[in-house]
Amino acid sequence: AVERTLSIIKPDAVAKNVIGEIYTRFEKAGLKVVAAKMKHLSKAEAEGFYAEHKERGFFADLVAFMTSGPVMVQVLEGENAVLANRDLMGATNPKEAAAGTIRADFAESIDANAVHGSDAVASAQREIGYFFAETEISAR
Ligand code: CMP
């Protein structure tokens, strides 16, 4: 089925100037960017986005990292978009990410891991709604 997923190019990858290289991977995999914005997240925005992780030991570091510089946030649309994007990203820990994935090629550590992608259709709906109004998403 055609799905939408929420993708974030994190501060490390924005700083490396590889937004375009990552967008090319989305496009080559048949995923369309149907909404996008660059944003420097506030602490409250990052905490709210990652609320499900707030009891985890890495939460404070995660929020500090995600607010350390601008991120590029986009909605991707395509056949099986949630899983397709997760395949493109590779494992959360770049040391475990398969060769040729975004994290293997651009990420340095489990914190600075280049990209975020929704893990399921339900979380994608929540995450898309966190950053975008329906009127900001283009049918294409
Ligand atoms: P992300 O997909 O954005 O979701 C939560 C983030 O927390 C994850 O990517 C990692 O960058 C970060 N993180 C740091 N430590 C861990 C960990 N032990 N397990 C999972 N995620 C972690």
Side-chain angles (χ1 to χ4, degrees):
V2 174
E3 296 170 354
R4 287 174 175 172
T5 191
L6 193 279
S7 161
I8 302 178
I9 300 177
K10 296 189 180 188
D12 57 320
V14 172
K16 275 189 178 170
N17 207 23
V18 292
I19 294 171
E21 291 196 46
I22 293 173
Y23 269 39
T24 297
R25 293 179 183 220
F26 298 152
E27 292 173 352
K28 291 217 159 110
L31 295 174
K32 295 177 180 179
V33 177
V34 294
K37 60 178 80 164
M38 182 171 275
K39 226 174 140 49
H40 196 143
L41 299 181
S42 68
K43 184 164 183 270
E45 283 173 325
E47 286 174 347
F49 182 76
Y50 282 119
E52 67 182 293
H53 296 304
K54 68 175 185 291
E55 307 303 334
R56 307 286 296 272
F58 58 81
F59 185 69
D61 285 347
L62 173 61
V63 169
F65 175 66
M66 290 301 289
T67 57
S68 67
V71 297
M72 193 73 194
V73 189
Q74 44 282 323
V75 178
L76 305 177
E77 186 179 272
E79 195 64 32
N80 294 317
V82 171
L83 196 59
N85 184 43
R86 292 184 73 78
D87 287 346
L88 288 177
M89 292 192 298
T92 304
N93 186 342
K95 293 181 179 65
E96 294 161 10
T101 60
I102 292 168
R103 284 165 171 158
D105 290 344
F106 299 117
E108 306 303 332
S109 69
I110 196 164
D111 293 300
N113 68 346
V115 280
H116 166 83
S118 308
D119 65 1
V121 170
S123 47
Q125 285 174 350
R126 180 189 79 81
E127 293 180 1
I128 290 167
Y130 193 81
F131 286 115
F132 295 97
E134 191 59 38
T135 53
E136 294 178 296
I137 304 173
S138 303
R140 48 166 290 195

